Amino acid sequence: MIFAHMSKSLRETFPTRASEWALALMLFLWSVVLTLNPDLFVDTQSFKPLSRLVDQETWAVLCFIVGGGRLIMLAINGAWRRTPHLRTGAAFISCGFWFQISVGLFESGTFGTGLAIYPVLLALDTYNCIRAARDAGSSDRIYTQAARNGTDS
């Protein structure tokens, strides 16, 4: 039953949520890259500021949890009413990662190509956060109206 819902939901919502899927996958894959390259923070000047916050292994675990969790939330989208609220929270938390990476790259003083990419990812996930919050508000209004009318949503 849930897999049928997921398949239908994916077909219906993917075009409007493609950037959410892409950013969730990027964060998840960031964890894979960090795991496969255990000395990346040590060997790359651009990532030294990030290692002052937490070590590379912790970054990998956090990116895995947030990126993977967000992918799961997007997959089960709409199976229950609070899904837009979860999408909002996941986008907000992801913004924290994109922000820290952007600031870390800037702070490193290397001014590499990452500075052309990560701030854009931050801006896009900020937009996703706002859009998901609007969806959450719409969901709440529909639920409240249905409760007033005595119907089940």
Side-chain angles (χ1 to χ4, degrees):
M1 179 74 172
I2 189 76
F3 291 111
H5 169 79
M6 287 169 45
S7 175
K8 181 177 184 258
S9 177
L10 182 62
R11 284 190 310 273
E12 291 174 354
T13 64
F14 184 80
T16 58
R17 300 209 179 108
S19 65
E20 289 184 63
W21 280 96
L23 288 161
L25 185 59
M26 281 186 241
L27 194 57
F28 179 81
L29 292 175
W30 228 74
S31 77
V32 173
V33 169
L34 293 177
T35 302
L36 294 176
N37 297 292
D39 295 327
L40 189 63
F41 278 22
V42 173
D43 296 341
T44 309
Q45 180 65 29
S46 298
F47 295 124
K48 295 221 187 292
L50 295 177
S51 66
R52 287 195 295 266
L53 294 173
V54 293
D55 62 29
Q56 181 175 331
E57 185 177 317
T58 303
W59 273 101
V61 169
L62 293 173
C63 290
F64 180 85
I65 291 168
V66 174
R70 190 171 181 190
L71 288 169
I72 291 168
M73 282 183 260
L74 286 164
I76 61 171
N77 177 60
W80 65 86
R81 185 177 82 81
R82 291 289 182 196
T83 308
H85 298 80
L86 295 174
R87 284 180 36 236
T88 303
F92 181 78
I93 293 168
S94 293
C95 283
F97 284 90
W98 304 132
F99 176 78
Q100 288 299 331
I101 293 167
S102 297
V103 168
L105 292 174
F106 182 78
E107 190 178 298
S108 74
T110 58
F111 303 108
T113 57
L115 283 175
I117 297 167
Y118 291 103
V120 175
L121 300 181
L122 171 60
L124 189 55
D125 243 350
T126 300
Y127 172 73
N128 287 333
C129 188
I130 293 165
R131 191 174 55 180
R134 283 188 195 132
D135 290 349
S138 295
S139 173
D140 287 344
R141 281 189 295 280
I142 291 167
Y143 181 79
T144 301
Q145 185 64 34
R148 278 190 211 135
N149 294 335
T151 58
D152 199 12
S153 60

